[in-house]
Structures are given as structure tokens and as C-alpha cells.
Amino acid sequence: GDVDLLAARLTSEPKSRGSQWCRAAVRTALKLRSALAALPVLAEALRGTDTAAHRSALLAEAHTVLSHTSFAELLGSLDGVLDGDGPQALGQAGSLAHVALMYAVRPNVSPLLDIARQTWNDALEQIHMLHRGYAEKHPELRIKLEYAERRGWYLSHAVQDRPKDFLHTASKGSSGRQMSTTRELGSENFKLRQAEREILAQTVAVLSNLYDVLRAEAALLYRGSHI
């Protein structure tokens, strides 16, 4: 039942489009594309039963529904916008999944989206430069750069006397390490989040052009999901 659930999420209109809703909408579009891409394999498997002497009417109907040309057209519409060659890590967690979300839409589809992503890239590069500087200055701390969706990018380091410019230091769970930030890192995280909001908004704006197509095929998507 995933296909009709994913389609319903994409075609429903929320009261407000906050960052969390935008993230969910982008992930949903990617999952729907994956589901549609799997349908031809299922249809081919069902077609292989054509030679069976007692092929059931239910299997015949399932093959007919899953082979409907509209599914291929919907997949083509999604592939025309979503980047199949970009980072593929939405099933994972942390920074890899986050980068995949930022690059869900192909480049050169939306100039505003491309500009927002360049701003995001610049801030991310600066964050990595800051980390390298801290690591070189304080090798005894064994500093790592880590990411959490709520906190953003932060410094993970050994439990020792922290430098004065390390702020908001706290224990990092049961890892035996601590996590901190700095004013410079906080500033770049702020720029990054501003760019992320714009990326998500522009990504959803691009996907919105597909909503009418999905609504028109809602009945077919529902049938396909209940095979």
C-alpha cells in the first residue's frame, strides 16, 4: 500500500509548508519514484506465468494493471526532475541522507534552486575548513566534524580541558567524548540552514508542477498499490 500512501502525501495540501513538511515531501517524491521503478519488474514476473495452464484471473488482472502505460509516464515525469545520478542515501541517516535531500532535483532545472545550492556549498566548505583549522591547532583533542539534523554541524572531541573558544560543550552520549561548537561554526551553521530552507522551498516548487499529473492518476495508483 505504499504507492497510494506516497501519492496521497504528495497531492495533499498542508495548512503550512514548513521545513519539516518540505523534507517529507521531497523524500516522498523520491520513494514514489523508486516504487514506480519497481513495477515493471513485478509486471514481468507476472507475465512469466502466461505459460501456466491454470493462470488465475487475479494474476491476469494484476499484470494488466501493473503494465499500464501511465505508470511509465509518471516515472518519466519524476525522472525528468529528480536526479537519478545524485547522492543516493535517503535510506541512511546523518549527513549522507541530508546531502541526498539537498540534491534531490537535477541541476539546471531551477535557477533559484541552483543559486541556493551554491550558497549551501560555500557554507559547507567553510565549515570543513574551520574543522581542519581546529584539528591542526588542537591535535590532542582528536577533533571530528559530525552532523545531527537538529544541531547541525558540531565538533566531537576528547574529554580534556577545552579551548576557550569552544562553546556549549556537553557529553556525547556514552561515547566517552564531548561535543562543542564555536562562534564561527555557529555562524556558518546559520548560513547553511538559511540556504537549506531555500533549497527545500525551491525543490518543492519544482515538484509542485507534478502534483496535477499525480492527482489525475490517483485512481490508477491506488489500484496498483493494492495488487
Side-chain angles (χ1 to χ4, degrees), residues 116-136:
R117 281 203 287 228
Q118 184 58 55
T119 302
W120 186 82
N121 283 333
D122 292 344
L124 185 58
E125 182 178 350
Q126 186 62 31
I127 284 173
H128 281 279
M129 288 179 61
L130 285 170
H131 165 246
R132 287 194 293 270
Y134 297 137
E136 291 173 2

Side-chain angles (χ1 to χ4, degrees), residues 127 146-155 189 192-193 196:
I127 284 173
E146 299 189 28
Y147 175 83
E149 187 166 307
R150 289 189 177 182
R151 186 176 182 127
W153 293 94
Y154 64 91
L155 304 175
N189 262 317
L192 207 64
R193 290 195 180 279
E196 285 169 6

Side-chain angles (χ1 to χ4, degrees), residues 68-77:
H68 200 290
T69 57
S70 291
F71 284 131
E73 292 170 359
L74 287 173
L75 180 59
S77 296

Side-chain angles (χ1 to χ4, degrees), residues 21-223:
W21 182 88
C22 289
R23 287 189 180 91
V26 177
R27 291 189 182 106
T28 298
L30 290 164
K31 289 178 180 178
L32 179 59
R33 184 186 63 177
S34 296
L36 291 174
L39 294 185
V41 177
L42 293 175
E44 183 64 21
L46 292 173
R47 191 177 70 85
T49 64
D50 284 342
T51 57
H54 303 290
R55 185 183 184 221
S56 71
L58 182 60
L59 288 176
E61 180 185 1
H63 173 261
T64 299
V65 172
L66 296 181
S67 301
H68 200 290
T69 57
S70 291
F71 284 131
E73 292 170 359
L74 287 173
L75 180 59
S77 296
L78 288 169
D79 278 340
V81 171
L82 299 175
D83 191 355
D85 298 324
Q88 302 296 312
L90 284 178
Q92 302 182 34
S95 60
L96 290 177
H98 191 66
V99 171
L101 200 63
M102 297 296 102
Y103 282 87
V105 169
R106 294 179 180 277
N108 303 319
V109 170
S110 165
L112 292 177
L113 176 57
D114 290 341
I115 291 171
R117 281 203 287 228
Q118 184 58 55
T119 302
W120 186 82
N121 283 333
D122 292 344
L124 185 58
E125 182 178 350
Q126 186 62 31
I127 284 173
H128 281 279
M129 288 179 61
L130 285 170
H131 165 246
R132 287 194 293 270
Y134 297 137
E136 291 173 2
K137 186 176 181 181
H138 307 287
E140 73 282 359
L141 292 178
R142 304 191 304 279
I143 299 173
K144 297 179 181 179
L145 182 64
E146 299 189 28
Y147 175 83
E149 187 166 307
R150 289 189 177 182
R151 186 176 182 127
W153 293 94
Y154 64 91
L155 304 175
S156 167
H157 54 86
V159 180
Q160 294 188 22
D161 291 338
R162 61 179 176 83
K164 292 182 179 180
D165 54 343
F166 279 32
L167 307 174
H168 307 298
T169 300
S171 296
K172 187 176 181 291
S174 59
S175 66
R177 292 171 63 82
Q178 292 181 323
M179 50 187 181
S180 300
T181 187
T182 66
R183 292 186 185 278
E184 294 82 2
L185 189 58
S187 176
E188 294 303 325
N189 262 317
F190 177 78
K191 295 176 186 176
L192 207 64
R193 290 195 180 279
Q194 292 288 97
E196 285 169 6
R197 281 194 284 270
E198 184 63 17
I199 289 171
L200 290 170
Q202 293 302 327
T203 298
V204 169
V206 170
L207 292 175
S208 294
N209 296 327
L210 301 174
Y211 290 178
D212 289 341
V213 177
L214 290 170
R215 288 191 184 100
E217 300 295 349
L220 180 62
L221 288 166
Y222 182 82
R223 286 184 66 196

